[in-house]
Amino acid sequence: MCGITGWVSFDVDLARRRDVVDAMTATMACRGPDDAGTWVRDHVALGHRRLAVIDLPGGRQPMSARTPGGDVAMVYSGETYNFPELRAELTRLGHAWETDSDTEVVLRGYLQWGDAVADRLNGMYAFAVWDGRDDKLVMIRDRMGVKPFYYQPTRDGVLFGSEPKAILANPLAARVVDGDGLRELVGHTKRPGWSLWKDVEEVPPGAIVTVDRSGVRTRTYWRLDARPHTDDRDATVARVRELMTDVVHRQLVADVPRCVLLSGGLDSSAVTGLAAAHLAATGERVRTFSVDFLGQEENFRADAMRPTPDAPFVRDVAALVGSAHEEVLLDPSDLTDPEVRRAMITARDIPAGMGDMDVSLYLLFKAVRAQSTVALSGESADEVFGGYRWFHDRSAHADTFPWLAFHNVLMNNRTTMYDKGVVRDLHLRDYVGDQYRAAVAEVDPLEGESAHEARMRVVCHLHLTRFVRLLLDRKDRASMAVGLEVRVPFCDHRLVEYVYNAPWALKTFDGREKSLLRHATAHVLPASVRDRVKSPYPSTQDPAYALALQQQAKEVLAEPGNPVFDIVDRAWVHRVSEVDAAALDPADRVGLDRLLDLYHWFDLYRPEIRLS
């Protein structure tokens, strides 16, 4: 896992602009603390920061190969889990090797198959290949969008990077946020290709972007297709068990310490159980980490979203599998430290406004990184298997994105804190409606499906092509900000394709959410976790957190000329900062988190806002 960046300029000699390329590469230092390198030719410059995970002595980048037609060079971020099979195939085809890295396998795969190498990869990846034989840049991103990848077309080429900050380090890139950027930030539809920054775009998941002298072209190499599912219940459960076992085993491969992130929910517990069983066969004990808040278990208050605390279930799993477990305990002073908030905003390049859930994730990853370089996560199982509450109530049948229809503090009242004129100019209702119709239009119907099955196929597709990308980006940015590689077994495209096409009746055959996953992994789970009701990522219930937010909001109010008030309603900030903290509406607490993210984001990035 690494950070990549680059610049293609067909009209400029980039050998004279090494200082700019070095600056772009330096922004990725957190993603790659182990090594740095650049590769510069007349019209192309590639930069790389390395987090060494496989073949520590080898695998340095940028990596290049000489051919009779010209040099081919690559910068690569991610992991290819099937690289041993590809390496064997390429060896039979006559390729010789200089390293044991998966990076070289991908490079030689490109030399053999061109951009069709993407069809053969199983993994999470974002990489760019400069093909000197044709003077073109080829950018490829993994199918689910686990690894971030951004680019900005220029007058005579392109800028690219793992994160927008790499692009923004180039003087050609302006730090401008327009109405389109702000509209999606507030709208939460995860429009494909969206970046908050004007003119900066995402390489779409499952896509190949090619840049040459004729311009920029995008080709989709993978999409989520509808296919008949012919397996019965027992065969489907068995196939999910087989896939999950294979995926977890593949993703445990590393030449550095690795662990599992354990929340006590079904998803992470299943990964933990499968990993523990595999490692035990070789005499190794699995390491696990969890996060909680000081006093949360003792003073826990059940609500509609979180009926149970995590800690008891974490202990049950750790005891069953015999893991070397460590609990990361946080208190309100950790969660409200402005410097930690700024670190997370810098990691994400956007004011995401998820407050303690973002900060606690960052602090968890920071603690894990002190002992491990690679972690496996249960992220994305809810999108694959249908685990969220809104899959199972009337929100699933609303004429909009289900996560927006569902009543929850993160998504409801999203515009209350903003200036009314700004909200009016964003035309959010029209925007969300347009995005929803465009997303639904991408879903292939399956002949013979009932109306209910067809609707649930749409709902699953929305989550696998939109919602999951919000969380994958958050996970990647928070982990790579501290140099931790987090792998996501549930995003293996084989598993995604198979479960997506299982009928909804099979996904819920025991009358509960995630029936297939629960039964497929029951053999590695304690009974308490098998029976546990879905509970999302934890959020602190300590009133001291809300009180600290209010105090910091008052400090923002003391700066009347701060640019945050160009878009935020000052009267709203004044009102919610004066309410008794214990009685603060949860939606207003979320609003305060968003305010503080915006405040620090303005200070860190100095953006120009153009809403007209």
Side-chain angles (χ1 to χ4, degrees), residues 10 156 160 289 301 420:
F10 292 108
D156 66 334
F160 70 85
F289 290 85
R301 301 184 305 278
K420 291 180 175 56

Side-chain angles (χ1 to χ4, degrees), residues 110-182:
Y110 177 84
L111 292 172
Q112 181 67 38
W113 299 301
D115 64 19
V117 66
D119 298 317
R120 297 171 178 261
L121 302 180
N122 177 307
M124 55 178 190
Y125 45 83
F127 61 95
V129 178
W130 172 256
D131 193 334
R133 298 168 299 184
D134 299 310
D135 276 0
K136 67 181 181 182
L137 182 78
V138 179
M139 297 181 284
I140 300 177
R141 190 177 183 197
D142 67 70
R143 295 168 180 84
M144 293 295 291
V146 180
K147 301 309 300 173
F149 203 176
Y150 295 85
Y151 70 101
Q152 178 176 322
T154 64
R155 180 186 56 80
D156 66 334
V158 72
L159 309 170
F160 70 85
S162 292
E163 301 176 6
K165 61 174 64 68
I167 296 170
L168 296 175
N170 190 297
L172 294 179
R175 297 185 175 222
V176 173
V177 174
D178 62 8
D180 285 341
L182 191 58

Side-chain angles (χ1 to χ4, degrees), residues 159-277:
L159 309 170
F160 70 85
S162 292
E163 301 176 6
K165 61 174 64 68
I167 296 170
L168 296 175
N170 190 297
L172 294 179
R175 297 185 175 222
V176 173
V177 174
D178 62 8
D180 285 341
L182 191 58
R183 197 171 287 118
E184 176 56 39
L185 182 70
V186 181
H188 291 286
T189 74
K190 198 56 178 86
R191 175 172 61 81
W194 175 78
S195 161
L196 177 62
W197 303 96
K198 187 177 185 299
D199 299 326
V200 177
E201 305 174 41
E202 275 191 315
V203 175
I208 300 169
V209 177
T210 303
V211 183
D212 58 22
R213 292 180 183 275
S214 65
V216 179
R217 300 180 301 282
T218 300
R219 176 175 74 84
T220 299
Y221 72 89
W222 182 86
R223 66 189 304 272
L224 203 51
D225 293 325
R227 302 168 188 164
H229 184 86
T230 57
D231 292 344
D232 63 16
R233 178 192 297 179
D234 290 343
T236 301
V237 170
R239 179 57 177 158
V240 170
R241 182 183 301 119
E242 177 186 22
L243 285 168
M244 282 296 305
T245 302
D246 179 68
V247 171
V248 171
H249 292 183
R250 285 179 181 273
Q251 297 198 16
L252 284 168
V253 174
D255 296 331
V256 292
R258 65 264 201 258
C259 65
V260 181
L261 305 174
L262 176 61
S263 71
L266 174 61
D267 316 333
S268 65
S269 300
V271 173
T272 299
L274 292 170

Side-chain angles (χ1 to χ4, degrees), residues 514-536:
K514 295 186 282 195
S515 306
L516 290 175
L517 178 61
R518 181 177 295 103
H519 286 260
T521 58
H523 61 298
V524 295
L525 298 172
S528 60
V529 172
R530 291 199 302 271
D531 296 335
R532 189 184 184 191
V533 175
K534 162 71 182 173
S535 186

Side-chain angles (χ1 to χ4, degrees), residues 259-262 272 286-290 318 321 323-327:
C259 65
V260 181
L261 305 174
L262 176 61
T272 299
V286 68
R287 291 188 62 89
T288 54
F289 290 85
S290 64
V321 305
S323 71
H325 182 72
E326 183 171 324
E327 182 183 50

Side-chain angles (χ1 to χ4, degrees), residues 238-565:
R239 179 57 177 158
V240 170
R241 182 183 301 119
E242 177 186 22
L243 285 168
M244 282 296 305
T245 302
D246 179 68
V247 171
V248 171
H249 292 183
R250 285 179 181 273
Q251 297 198 16
L252 284 168
V253 174
D255 296 331
V256 292
R258 65 264 201 258
C259 65
V260 181
L261 305 174
L262 176 61
S263 71
L266 174 61
D267 316 333
S268 65
S269 300
V271 173
T272 299
L274 292 170
H278 180 67
L279 295 175
T282 60
E284 187 176 349
R285 187 183 184 192
V286 68
R287 291 188 62 89
T288 54
F289 290 85
S290 64
V291 65
D292 206 350
F293 307 107
L294 199 63
Q296 181 98 330
E297 183 178 4
E298 299 84 351
N299 302 298
F300 183 80
R301 301 184 305 278
D303 59 32
M305 289 295 290
R306 297 177 176 84
T308 52
D310 288 341
F313 301 94
V314 169
R315 290 193 293 268
D316 288 349
V317 176
L320 177 68
V321 305
S323 71
H325 182 72
E326 183 171 324
E327 182 183 50
V328 179
L329 268 181
L330 306 174
D331 67 26
S333 64
D334 299 321
L335 300 173
T336 57
D337 183 345
E339 291 307 311
V340 179
R341 183 184 290 269
R342 289 169 72 87
M344 189 61 183
I345 294 168
T346 301
R348 299 193 68 178
D349 292 317
I350 62 172
M354 293 187 70
D356 65 308
M357 291 188 289
D358 263 0
V359 170
S360 64
L361 190 68
Y362 174 85
L363 293 172
L364 168 64
F365 289 160
K366 188 175 182 180
V368 172
R369 183 61 177 91
Q371 302 182 55
S372 293
T373 308
V374 170
L376 272 64
S377 166
E379 189 86 82
S380 307
D382 287 310
E383 290 82 2
V384 175
F385 289 95
Y388 292 116
R389 298 285 182 86
W390 50 79
F391 275 92
H392 306 276
D393 72 4
R394 62 185 182 182
S395 303
H397 297 276
D399 192 28
T400 189
F401 295 100
W403 55 90
L404 299 182
F406 186 73
H407 181 72
N408 67 93
V409 296
L410 274 178
M411 296 300 176
N412 298 145
N413 303 315
R414 301 188 309 282
T415 63
T416 305
M417 62 174 287
Y418 292 101
D419 176 84
K420 291 180 175 56
V422 169
V423 173
R424 182 181 61 250
D425 291 342
L426 291 179
H427 303 289
L428 281 174
R429 179 174 294 185
D430 291 342
Y431 173 76
V432 171
D434 290 344
Q435 287 301 310
Y436 174 70
R437 287 185 289 275
V440 171
E442 294 177 1
V443 184
D444 290 334
L446 189 65
E447 186 175 352
E449 274 189 328
S450 69
H452 179 64
E453 285 286 349
R455 175 58 192 175
M456 295 314 296
R457 178 180 293 279
V458 168
V459 171
C460 291
H461 196 280
L462 294 175
H463 283 79
L464 291 167
T465 60
R466 296 271 185 146
F467 190 76
V468 74
R469 296 174 187 173
L470 290 165
L471 301 182
L472 288 174
D473 186 75
R474 168 178 175 258
K475 177 272 308 171
D476 179 271
R477 302 297 197 89
S479 62
M480 293 307 293
V482 297
L484 176 70
E485 174 174 300
V486 176
R487 299 177 177 179
V488 195
F490 289 107
C491 280
D492 184 288
H493 71 278
R494 300 167 300 159
L495 179 69
V496 171
E497 291 171 348
Y498 185 76
V499 176
Y500 171 67
N501 281 299
W504 184 249
L506 263 182
K507 290 188 178 82
T508 56
F509 70 79
D510 64 357
R512 299 188 57 189
E513 80 284 354
K514 295 186 282 195
S515 306
L516 290 175
L517 178 61
R518 181 177 295 103
H519 286 260
T521 58
H523 61 298
V524 295
L525 298 172
S528 60
V529 172
R530 291 199 302 271
D531 296 335
R532 189 184 184 191
V533 175
K534 162 71 182 173
S535 186
Y537 185 85
S539 177
T540 181
Q541 297 179 332
D542 192 331
Y545 180 76
L547 186 62
L549 295 183
Q550 290 177 308
Q551 182 56 46
Q552 291 178 24
K554 290 175 182 177
E555 294 170 5
V556 176
L557 281 170
E559 301 179 29
N562 193 283
V564 74
F565 292 114

